Amino acid sequence: MKLLHTADWHIGRRLHGFDLTDEQQNAFDQIEQIAQAEQVDGLIIAGDVYDRRLPSEASVAMVNQMLQQLNLTDQIPLYAISGNHDSATRLATGTPWFKATHLYLHTDLSQAFTPIELTDTQLFLCPYFEPFAAQQYFNDESIQHLDQAFARVVTEMKTHFDPAKKHLLVAHFFVAGSSTTDSETNLTVGGLAAVPTDLLADFDYVALGHLHGKDALHLPNARYSGSPVKFSLSEANQHKGVWIVDTDETPVKVTFKPITPIHDVRQITSSFDDLIASADDDSINHEDYVGITLTDRQPIPNVMARLRAVFPRIVTLGRAAGFESQVRYHGETSQQIQQKSPMALLGDFYEQVAKENLTSQQEKWARAALKQANEGGDQA
Amino acid sequence: MKLLHTADWHIGRRLHGFDLTDEQQNAFDQIEQIAQAEQVDGLIIAGDVYDRRLPSEASVAMVNQMLQQLNLTDQIPLYAISGNHDSATRLATGTPWFKATHLYLHTDLSQAFTPIELTDTQLFLCPYFEPFAAQQYFNDESIQHLDQAFARVVTEMKTHFDPAKKHLLVAHFFVAGSSTTDSETNLTVGGLAAVPTDLLADFDYVALGHLHGKDALHLPNARYSGSPVKFSLSEANQHKGVWIVDTDETPVKVTFKPITPIHDVRQITSSFDDLIASADDDSINHEDYVGITLTDRQPIPNVMARLRAVFPRIVTLGRAAGFESQVRYHGETSQQIQQKSPMALLGDFYEQVAKENLTSQQEKWARAALKQANEGGDQA
């Protein structure tokens, strides 16, 4: 059987204030196209369908449309779980009806132990859960941490193993030793909330959600699909996409299928002048989401607005080597500066920022304002 | 065919701060029992399933469970619409899958015109909509008010009428001439948002939601079912329940089936002493939600706590004839009172409220506090 493995759609997410609806819809369209081109027998969504437990109406409408498109229109079986960003309760809405069209969406730990029986494969859908939920389910207060809980869950699953079939697990956790990015919610507190890799050993494939990079984990039988869209600058160099999992092969064969963004997320380190001059360079995609690091050290008036005229989707702006120290620039000591008159200080400042002297009219306005401020001060 | 008509469940609603979960679950259980006892062919929910557009997780879990119970466990066809309290978008979750088990839940005006075809009846499910939605659907800017919008909607429905069948409409609106209670959201602004009764004339039965009393409207072919639970003191004298609609008869026959609350909502007018004395009277249900109107005119110390010891679910507390004027009680003019010392005023007040004089210790404390307050005032 061929299954498509994706996760971490995070519908409703924004990137430094920028709406990602179009990116997420575009990534979804590509996932649908890959599923059709590969003629997959099912599509796995390993949690975090939504970005928030309380999604907006727009996000709800989007997810409803996506699931309907895949399952009812394209008639692709769906195997999904809730992640730590989802509300299990809200996501459970409608699920008792979904099974009829092979949409399995597990949101409660109790659902993890009955596998979906495919021709050659048993598929265990284990939603994200807190150790407390396992404590309650197993009625065992000795279960305190995720590693203990997960060990019990796997032991219980194995009692349902059919030796004639392959065993796939869909789960949404931080697996020990994985590498993270800035866009994931940290689930590990002192290493207690990590799943040890040896607990995954008995599965032919573990389709993971939670971490946003496809290379976060290097195990022969377990993968994070990563998110279909870049959610932070720390993901700038990642390649987004989905895994095609072929259970006909032993070991299970996985192939990566890339997703191309409308607008990429990139880090740029350059001088201000070069960035402005690049406006006419058609080889540069100015519409990308960019984190800009300026190599300049001097102050640049109105820098964000001028850069946004060339790069409309700036998500961060920083300096490679900090600002020049303006005190040292003039070779003055702080004592010398303290002795200067307010008008002299204003003149110095204006010259540094604007690269020109105050005009006589500006000087006149400044003196008048200063006089007024001083008089106001005397009266107080 | 026999259909059960209910509406306005308002799951998540509270009564003056009291949680109504148990009442709502109990009313639901009775609705289910009536449906089974009457062997109905379907159950109509005429809008306002939820109390809020953004229901809590607990409310979502409750509604999910109720719909599952009726439709999947009891296998009762459901014919439902969204009301003005529901989020049409959120309520639409799962609906494309629900049809397979005859759960029809219409949330968009565009769904109103294709009737559900029953053996002898066409059922038009018209969700609550704003005139703007009709303006958009019909692409006609002349539609400004609900009466215009609803006229167009009915005209469009009639093009789908099968003359061999009866025609039922499920809708959620204020129908002109209906009587209201305090617990409904007012939809009428200058009468513009009311549906004129003549627009309902072509239907054999109109199953209405929105108003919370079953007797809100007196038309031969249209009924509000009312809410299954009392949501305000203004509903104290209402009888809650559901309608059983029999389409085999001409005209359609409707029968009321009552729902009994766990705790009723009642208005009590009585003296404080009689209420306290009633504690041992088993003929009085002290657990009811009560709005108490005291016939006493004098101040009663700690009145709410003392009454709550007998009636734990007091929702409002008022006075039938106001308070006695304490000024007139002593026969003093306000001028006389102004001339009294603070200690004399305090003594009078304490005597009126506590029905006894200040003890010498209390008087000592009061003098000390007064002295301190006066000295504090001098220093300021």
Side-chain angles (χ1 to χ4, degrees), chain A residues 53-57 60-61 64 67-68 71-72 87-90 92-94 96-98 101 103, chain B residues 53-57 60-61 64 67-68 71-72 87-90 92-94 96-98 101 103:
Chain A
R53 294 176 65 86
L54 224 168
S56 70
E57 287 196 346
V60 170
N64 285 352
L67 297 183
Q68 186 178 349
N71 186 244
L72 293 185
S87 157
T89 302
R90 294 182 198 278
T93 300
W97 284 264
F98 293 165
T101 56
L103 195 179
Chain B
R53 295 177 64 86
L54 226 168
S56 70
E57 287 197 345
V60 170
N64 286 351
L67 298 183
Q68 186 179 348
N71 187 242
L72 293 185
S87 157
T89 302
R90 295 183 197 278
T93 300
W97 284 265
F98 294 164
T101 55
L103 196 178

Side-chain angles (χ1 to χ4, degrees), chain B residues 11-255:
Chain B
I11 301 300
R13 186 136 186 156
R14 301 175 75 86
L15 176 63
H16 292 266
F18 288 100
D19 186 292
L20 290 178
T21 302
D22 289 347
E23 287 294 339
Q24 293 185 311
Q25 185 63 52
N26 171 61
F28 169 82
D29 293 343
Q30 292 184 56
I31 292 172
E32 186 193 9
Q33 284 155 18
I34 294 167
Q36 288 175 326
E38 295 289 327
Q39 296 184 294
V40 298
D41 301 293
L43 193 149
I44 292 166
I45 311 171
D48 283 0
V49 176
Y50 288 106
D51 190 50
R52 301 190 309 158
R53 295 177 64 86
L54 226 168
S56 70
E57 287 197 345
S59 297
V60 170
M62 194 167 172
V63 167
N64 286 351
Q65 179 56 38
M66 288 170 167
L67 298 183
Q68 186 179 348
Q69 177 68 27
L70 290 176
N71 187 242
L72 293 185
T73 307
D74 302 340
Q75 299 194 302
I76 300 171
L78 300 186
Y79 308 105
I81 56 171
S82 47
N84 57 306
H85 276 249
D86 299 305
S87 157
T89 302
R90 295 183 197 278
L91 205 60
T93 300
T95 50
W97 284 265
F98 294 164
K99 282 175 251 172
T101 55
H102 300 290
L103 196 178
Y104 300 90
L105 172 45
H106 286 190
T107 57
D108 191 83
L109 177 59
S110 65
Q111 300 171 302
F113 309 104
T114 311
I116 318 297
E117 298 284 353
L118 309 180
T119 322
D120 65 348
T121 301
Q122 288 185 307
L123 195 52
F124 291 84
L125 303 181
C126 178
Y128 171 78
F129 63 88
E130 305 275 349
F132 179 69
Q135 196 184 94
Q136 287 203 304
Y137 179 80
F138 293 109
N139 195 18
D140 181 352
E141 289 193 8
S142 76
I143 298 173
Q144 295 288 327
H145 305 306
L146 183 64
D147 52 349
Q148 303 166 315
F150 209 78
R152 280 293 287 276
V153 165
V154 170
T155 302
E156 179 75 17
M157 283 175 177
K158 282 160 75 175
T159 66
H160 295 84
F161 269 23
D162 176 350
K165 292 188 175 183
K166 288 209 164 65
H167 308 103
L168 260 58
L169 171 64
V170 180
H172 189 95
F173 287 103
F174 178 79
V175 174
S178 305
S179 50
T180 63
T181 68
D182 292 345
S183 67
E184 301 129 4
T185 304
N186 192 352
L187 295 178
T188 59
V189 182
L192 295 176
V195 170
T197 52
D198 56 342
L199 291 180
L200 309 179
D202 291 309
F203 294 95
D204 293 281
Y205 183 70
V206 184
L208 288 164
H210 182 51
L211 298 183
H212 294 172
K214 74 172 171 66
D215 298 314
L217 182 69
H218 290 278
L219 285 180
N221 70 328
R223 289 279 188 290
Y224 286 99
S225 68
S227 56
V229 167
K230 295 181 183 179
F231 294 133
S232 70
L233 281 169
S234 69
E235 295 163 61
N237 295 324
Q238 291 184 0
H239 296 283
K240 297 299 189 181
V242 299
W243 294 107
I244 301 294
V245 182
D246 190 343
T247 62
D248 293 343
E249 312 252 347
T250 302
V252 163
K253 186 183 156 201
V254 292
T255 317

Side-chain angles (χ1 to χ4, degrees), chain A residues 244-294:
Chain A
I244 300 295
V245 182
D246 190 342
T247 62
D248 293 343
E249 312 254 347
T250 305
V252 162
K253 187 181 155 202
V254 292
T255 316
F256 186 72
K257 296 287 170 186
I259 291 172
T260 310
I262 307 173
H263 305 306
D264 205 355
V265 176
R266 289 190 294 127
Q267 272 286 8
I268 307 178
T269 301
S270 178
S271 74
F272 178 78
D273 289 342
D274 285 353
L275 288 173
I276 297 295
S278 81
D280 300 324
D281 184 347
D282 291 341
S283 72
I284 292 174
N285 193 342
H286 296 93
E287 301 293 325
D288 283 351
Y289 300 98
V290 291
I292 292 179
T293 305
L294 292 176

